Structures are given as C-alpha cells and as structure tokens.
Amino acid sequence: MQKASLDGGLIGNSAVGALIDPHGNIVWACLPRLDGEPVFCSLLSPPGRDEGAGAFSIVLDDFSHAEQAYERHTAVLHTRLFDRHDGGIEVTDFAPRFQLHGRVFFPAMLVRRVRRLTGNPRVAVRVRPLFQDGELAPSITFGSHHIRLVAPLQTLRLTTNASIHGVLEARFMHVHDTLSFILGPDESLQGGVAETTQRFLDETIAYWQRWVRTIFVPVDWQDEVIRAAITLKLNAFDDTGAIIAAMTTSVPEHPGSGRNWDYRYCWLRDAYFVVNALNRLGATATMERYIGFILNVVSSAEEGVLQPVYGISGEARLTERIAPALAGYREMGPVRIGNQAFEQIQHDVYGSAILAATHMFFDTRLRHRGDENLFRQLEPLGLRALANYHQPDAGLWELRGSQRIHTYSSVLCWAACDRLALIAAHLGLDDSTRIWRESADRIHAEICANAWSPERQAFVASWGGDTLDASLLLLNEFGFLAADDPRFAQTVKAIETELKHGDFIYRYIERDDFGHPENAFMVCTFWYVYALHALGRHNEAHTTFIRLLACCNKQGLLAEDVDPRTGEQWGNFAQTYSMVGLINCALRLSRRWDQAY
C-alpha cells in the first residue's frame, strides 16, 4: 500500500462510488449508497494497521510501475501494472450503469476485471473490507464461486472466477485467463461471472459514451469538460435526486488543520451550482431530479424554514460524530461521520432553492414545467428570505464560532425575491410581480447601503465590516451588479489586493475557528476567472484558467483545496464545487464553434 493521495480516479453509477488509487487499489467506497458504510476506507486509515486493511487490492508480484487512464468518455477506469520481468496486467474498474428493460440499471455493485497483457505476471488479490467505520472485520463464509463478507448491518458477496482459496489466503497466482470480480449485495449472480462482467462492461461503456453525445461541450477543453460533467453525474444520487458535495469525508483542507468534514450530503448551495452547470451543458435530467428533491424538502419544511444541508434521502438530522478506529488521511484525524452544519442558520439557502427551481419556469426542454401552483410553493421561501436578509448567520463558509450579517447571504435573499418577481411576471401575476419586485429593490438598496465600505471602496464580507471574502466575486454572476458597474470592478480589485496569493484566490484570510486558512479553496479562483471575463480582462482570465487546469490530477479531477506552494490537492474528493468551476470557465472562455476551423 502506498501513501494515501488524491491522484487516482473515481468510478460510480449514481448509486455507489469508489476511489481507485494509482496502483489499482480501491481505497474508498461506501455501500450500499453514497453515504453508506465506508467498507473500503484505507484512504483514511494507516497502511500499517493490517496488510491491506480497508482496501480491495490487486497486488502484482515484483511490481515495477503503473499507468492509469479512463476509457474515453466513460466512468470506466483502467489501471495497468507492470513487473520487472516484462509482465503486465490491466485492472478495469467500474460500477454498472445502462439501460435495461426500459429503465436505467444502476445496482449497488462494483466490478473489477483483471487480464494479462504481457509476460507471466502473478497477482495476489486482497479483499479486506472493514465495517462500522473501520472497527470491524467481517466474518467470512464461502462457496465454490463466491465469498460472503458478513457484518451486522450488511452482508456483501464477492462473486469471482478466481480461486476462492487463493483470494481468501491472498496467495500469489499466475494470471492466465481473465479474472472477474463482482462485489455487491448478498444475492446469487444470474449467469456466469466472466460473461456477466463482459456484458456489464460493454453496456456501461456504451451508456456513458451515448450520454456524452447528448451534452453540449465547448470547442476548447472538450475532454476536461466531459470528465467534469461525468464526475458531477457520479455525485448525483439518482434514487432521490440529491447531489452530494463530494464522495469522501475528512480529507483535511490542509495538513494537520482539523478542518476535516463529511461531504457525503446534499448542500442546497452546492447542488444549485451543480445543476446550473449541468443545465448549461444540456444535462437536464439530473437537474429535474434535483428539483424534485428540493420540492420534497420544501414540502416538509415547517413555515418554509430550510437547513443548509440534508441527507441524500432528505434526512434532516446529520448528527456529527468521530470514528475513532480511523486514523485519518495520512493519519491526520479526526475522521467525522455526519455534519453538524445541519443545525446552522444559513440564510442563503432560500435563494439557492429558488434559483434552482427557476429553471422549471423558463427552460422549455423540461418535462415538468413550472406553473402558478409551484410558484405558490416557492413563495414561503421568499418570505423567509425577506424576513432574514438583514439577520446574522453562519455564512456560506459555515463559521462555527461566530455569526454576522453576511453579504453573500443577503445577496442570495435578494436573488430569491428577484427571481420570484421574474417568475410572477412570466406567469402574468401582476400583483405578485409588484410585491416581489418592491421587496427585491428594497433589499438591494439596503445591501448597497450597509455592505459597501467607503474606506475599502468595495463591498465587504459582512454589513458594517471591513474584511473581504471571495464570494463577492459572484455579485455579477447572480445579477446583483452589472459588469460595468464601477463598484464591481473596485470590489474585484480589492479582492486581488488582499486575497490573491500567487495564482490563487483565498476564500478569506482572517482567523476563524481553526486558525488562518493555509490552502486556497479551489472554486474561489474559478470565481475570479468569471469576474475577469465579465470585466473584459479576457487574457488574464484565460491565463488563470490554464493554471487552474494544471491543478487537476492525471485523471482530470479536482479536490476542494490546493497548496499554492506545491500544487498538491487537499480536501474532499472529487469536489463538485471545483468541477463546476472548471465547466463554467471553459464555457465562458472557449472559442465559438464557428471559430474552430
């Protein structure tokens, strides 16, 4: 086992996902769904605990080097391992997803295939899941072609055509024929494992390549945008429509920081950015499912009060606890399960929910269009925004030790009222249009009076404050300020002066609950590119974007944070915020198709 890193690839099928490290080890996978038990968790536990504990490893004898790449335009990952004697194997990893009997088949299942490439390679197969947050090794039973991994909360079945005792004993064995492994629920496999693996692989490749052909891509950076779009889709839980912020928990924002959070849940703010980006690409089905999730959450909210984050089935309580058996990423704990942010007050959620639902009224591609009934469902959220735009909250950065009247939250409350006015006008509801437009104008005026700092000559992070934060780069993105409004250019200039360090924009530089941030929050620099482009500073925007692309790992994936000194990625992985930033920048900066040739 190698030192934990974020250099590998992500597989999944919108039901489950897994992180495969550069040497073909499954080091992170939650089953039976995206927020389930981390049965493969070696990403967050020390390699020396037990040999291969918490991982599913294909170990090549006398290993020399490895190569890794995705099957083009799919979520199927190939890892090639070579030994020192010209022997080599290819490990193919995927989670099945394809059309079956008129619907999409996406079981809680991971599939691995090992085939010989050259020479006479020998491999040892080590399947070492851990249950109950790393505390419990399963009991094992087996049959002629399967191994049952039995734990109190779930039992997994590994079906294979490899030697059962060879796998149980992790003995080295020659790879003459292709080896197949299907890991999933404790159910008998219908059909031969090799034939099933091949059929699932062919169908899954075909599914993803067909899906890619349905989305819009810019002329430039097509492969990067496609990889980002696939990654966002992997983070969308098809069963309910929820979109998680990332597949992992507790990868620290910077070494030893204690900023270790569980991101396997649905933040209304993050999810809005995701569906907005996917909509620009034409991936409307994911957006429609998420809007359905939002409406279910809204209908359950008493008096329109929303939490910032929910479980992927809409669960309200995400009580946070520590997993003591897991030492953490590179032994930098704690490892947290759950997220106490569900208890926080974050007033921007009302704007995020209404912004997402606004698509239903104006996008004629959608199957279910917004009507007056839906508008009336959204109005209580607008009333909450109207009541709270000038009230303190934890803000989008989720400060745990203080509350302020955050400018970003106020702007999103304005956006809630502004969009309701636009929707009402679209529906011909004159009285509602007038009421919501007057409300939006009043909020706008108060924000301008209280969040503009004459001393800084810029909008500041909180009303009456004097500090900056990177979310102010989005004032034009939300339509709060026109690009030619001098206050926008002045705010961007102030952020450049204070928050830009090298190539990156920090979200803020002031001390918070955990000290001063040391790494740059990746999406903030993407927001800076948006602002540069809006201001007509296109060359600077292009140069900055190219530097951001260089932060991607070899598989084109981005985490939450980057060390501006080394370029190493930190934070939970793969981060939807970051992948959204990549897509939006590429769409802005690419040449038009009629300029491509």
Side-chain angles (χ1 to χ4, degrees):
M1 299 294 293
Q2 306 298 311
K3 181 175 73 171
S5 78
L6 303 179
D7 292 334
L10 204 64
I11 64 167
N13 62 0
S14 298
V16 294
L19 176 62
I20 316 297
D21 80 3
H23 295 87
N25 305 300
I26 299 180
V27 294
W28 183 260
C30 297
L31 294 170
R33 60 184 213 173
L34 295 171
D35 63 348
E37 279 193 284
V39 296
F40 296 117
C41 52
S42 63
L43 180 73
L44 300 183
S45 59
R49 171 180 172 175
D50 292 305
E51 191 171 23
F56 186 164
S57 305
I58 308 295
V59 182
L60 181 64
D61 190 25
D62 210 9
F63 170 80
S64 169
H65 64 282
E67 302 169 354
Q68 193 175 62
Y70 280 105
E71 181 81 22
R72 182 173 174 79
H73 296 169
T74 75
V76 175
L77 187 67
H78 301 294
T79 307
R80 293 187 167 190
L81 307 175
F82 299 92
D83 64 25
R84 293 181 175 85
H85 311 288
D86 298 323
I89 60 170
E90 180 182 72
V91 182
T92 298
D93 286 292
F94 66 100
R97 183 179 175 91
F98 51 86
Q99 291 287 333
L100 182 68
H101 305 312
R103 58 186 178 181
V104 179
F105 174 67
F106 53 106
M109 179 184 291
L110 303 175
V111 181
R112 316 200 78 182
R113 187 185 71 171
V114 180
R115 69 182 184 96
R116 185 181 70 85
L117 295 175
T118 60
N120 194 26
R122 295 199 317 152
V123 299
V125 179
R126 295 174 180 162
V127 186
R128 301 285 189 267
L130 295 171
F131 294 82
Q132 297 183 359
D133 304 330
E135 293 188 0
L136 179 69
S139 58
I140 294 174
T141 65
F142 59 91
S144 57
H145 296 290
H146 73 268
I147 298 170
R148 297 176 70 244
L149 305 157
V150 182
L153 298 181
Q154 66 174 318
T155 296
L156 300 177
R157 179 182 291 239
L158 179 71
T159 306
T160 181
N161 60 352
S163 163
I164 293 296
H165 288 279
V167 174
L168 290 172
E169 298 165 17
R171 286 188 286 102
F172 280 102
M173 48 190 168
H174 289 286
V175 180
H176 298 297
D177 301 316
T178 298
L179 305 178
S180 298
F181 304 88
I182 298 178
L183 180 70
D186 187 22
E187 301 169 357
S188 297
L189 186 67
Q190 302 300 313
V193 62
E195 296 78 10
T196 301
T197 296
Q198 187 64 55
R199 178 168 61 87
F200 282 7
L201 177 60
D202 293 342
E203 293 278 8
T204 299
I205 290 172
Y207 168 87
W208 285 111
Q209 292 179 343
R210 281 194 301 268
W211 184 80
V212 165
R213 289 195 293 272
T214 68
I215 65 174
F216 169 80
V217 293
V219 172
D220 301 306
W221 308 295
Q222 291 181 38
D223 288 342
E224 292 86 347
V225 168
I226 289 168
R227 180 55 48 203
I230 291 173
T231 304
L232 293 183
K233 189 167 177 63
L234 297 184
N235 282 273
F237 186 56
D238 261 11
D239 184 63
T240 65
I243 297 171
I244 61 173
M247 284 196 186
T248 60
T249 178
S250 301
V251 180
E253 294 179 16
H254 60 82
S257 65
R259 302 173 190 265
N260 302 7
W261 314 115
D262 192 347
Y263 277 11
R264 300 170 300 151
Y265 308 111
C266 184
W267 273 259
L268 303 190
R269 178 192 316 113
D270 301 43
Y272 160 68
F273 284 112
V274 171
V275 298
N276 197 43
L278 288 174
N279 188 50
R280 291 176 178 178
L281 297 177
T284 58
T286 301
M287 182 180 70
E288 286 190 272
R289 279 191 290 272
Y290 173 67
I291 293 173
F293 174 82
I294 281 285
L295 295 179
N296 285 329
V297 166
V298 168
S299 65
S300 301
E302 294 184 12
E303 299 180 354
V305 178
L306 294 181
Q307 298 176 187
V309 58
Y310 291 86
I312 63 176
S313 291
E315 303 95 327
R317 295 195 62 81
L318 303 174
T319 304
E320 191 174 290
R321 56 187 173 80
I322 303 298
L326 297 176
Y329 183 77
R330 300 183 187 173
E331 303 190 43
M332 297 177 189
V335 172
R336 292 184 171 93
I337 305 295
N339 198 303
Q340 216 63 31
F342 83 90
E343 293 183 331
Q344 288 190 351
I345 297 172
Q346 298 177 29
H347 298 314
D348 65 290
V349 295
Y350 303 107
S352 297
I354 290 174
L355 283 168
T358 298
H359 289 289
M360 295 189 69
F361 295 91
F362 295 99
D363 192 334
T364 60
R365 297 171 298 175
L366 303 186
R367 291 175 299 170
H368 304 292
R369 301 295 308 285
D371 56 13
E372 184 175 351
N373 180 59
L374 176 58
F375 173 75
R376 299 303 179 193
Q377 287 182 265
L378 297 177
E379 281 194 300
L381 303 184
L383 292 173
R384 299 299 306 183
L386 191 57
N388 290 293
Y389 72 90
H390 50 16
Q391 298 300 314
D393 70 353
L396 83 161
W397 305 124
E398 301 185 343
L399 300 177
R400 295 195 171 199
S402 63
Q403 290 196 347
R404 307 171 185 170
I405 305 174
H406 287 93
T407 302
Y408 178 87
S409 297
S410 299
V411 168
L412 266 290
C413 288
W414 165 84
C417 298
D418 176 76
R419 293 341 186 246
L420 286 174
L422 293 175
I423 294 167
H426 177 71
L427 296 174
L429 305 173
D430 295 340
D431 288 344
S432 295
T433 302
R434 176 182 53 79
I435 291 169
W436 287 113
R437 178 51 57 205
E438 290 175 354
S439 299
D441 290 346
R442 184 170 74 255
I443 295 174
H444 195 285
E446 290 195 41
I447 294 172
C448 291
N450 292 285
W452 174 262
S453 169
E455 293 77 21
R456 302 297 300 266
Q457 283 295 290
F459 281 94
V460 288
S462 59
W463 289 26
D466 62 357
T467 60
L468 300 169
D469 85 60
S471 67
L472 302 168
L473 293 166
L474 296 172
L475 291 175
N476 171 254
E477 180 77 2
F478 290 123
F480 185 83
L481 292 180
D484 60 0
D485 188 317
R487 294 173 297 178
F488 180 56
Q490 289 170 264
T491 300
V492 173
K493 181 179 179 181
I495 288 173
E496 288 173 318
T497 301
E498 185 168 302
L499 301 185
K500 187 179 181 187
H501 296 264
D503 295 331
F504 301 96
I505 301 290
Y506 278 62
R507 54 188 172 185
Y508 50 81
I509 58 171
E510 60 183 309
R511 185 180 181 85
D512 61 17
D513 315 333
F514 292 85
H516 293 282
E518 293 184 15
N519 284 346
F521 200 69
M522 195 85 72
V523 75
C524 297
T525 310
F526 284 115
W527 293 346
Y528 178 54
V529 175
Y530 303 175
L532 292 175
H533 182 263
L535 292 169
R537 296 163 59 181
H538 296 157
N539 289 338
E540 294 172 79
H542 186 277
T543 299
T544 303
F545 181 50
I546 295 302
R547 289 170 179 162
L548 281 166
L549 287 178
C551 295
C552 293
N553 74 6
K554 291 180 181 179
Q555 306 314 323
L557 304 179
L558 290 169
E560 180 185 43
D561 302 272
V562 62
D563 185 332
R565 298 160 292 275
T566 66
E568 184 176 11
Q569 296 197 61
W570 290 83
N572 283 309
F573 186 81
Q575 174 74 1
T576 54
Y577 251 161
S578 302
M579 306 311 291
V580 164
L582 188 159
I583 290 170
N584 287 338
C585 287
L587 291 174
R588 284 168 167 79
L589 300 178
S590 175
R591 295 168 296 164
R592 301 195 312 266
W593 277 98
D594 59 3
Q595 299 172 329
Y597 307 105

